[in-house]
Amino acid sequence: MALAYANRSAVFLDLKRYDECLDNIQLARDSNYPADKLEKLKEREEKCKNLKEKDSKLEKDPEDDPLNFFKL
């Protein structure tokens, strides 16, 4: 389960859904994520936090949200 959370966090990072990414990183840790892979998870967390901070400073265009593609 921990690996699934970690993989889902990577998808959320690609979709720029930073809060969901960080939530899934924490879920992975809470689910006994393998110790030998924790460094990669920590790097993803730092990248996510940096991108979240950077994006919060930029103006957002609602058309840039990839999820708008799925709205009818």
Side-chain angles (χ1 to χ4, degrees):
M1 195 66 176
L3 293 174
Y5 287 133
N7 289 338
R8 190 166 65 176
S9 74
V11 172
F12 282 134
L13 182 61
D14 288 341
L15 291 174
K16 298 182 180 182
R17 295 178 62 180
Y18 304 122
D19 291 328
E20 290 93 338
C21 175
L22 294 171
D23 289 344
N24 277 267
I25 289 171
Q26 188 59 50
L27 287 168
R29 284 191 180 121
D30 293 344
S31 300
N32 297 319
Y33 191 73
D36 62 323
K37 298 182 183 205
L38 277 174
E39 186 60 34
K40 184 174 182 180
L41 199 62
K42 185 176 179 173
E43 289 172 8
R44 182 176 302 140
E45 181 180 31
E46 289 301 315
K47 180 178 179 181
C48 182
K49 287 178 180 179
N50 290 336
L51 289 170
K52 181 179 177 181
E53 183 179 326
K54 180 180 172 186
D55 279 3
S56 69
K57 294 177 183 178
L58 300 174
E59 269 189 53
K60 294 195 178 192
D61 182 1
E63 295 295 319
D64 289 340
D65 185 357
L67 296 179
N68 282 337
F69 174 79
F70 297 106
K71 292 182 182 176
L72 296 177

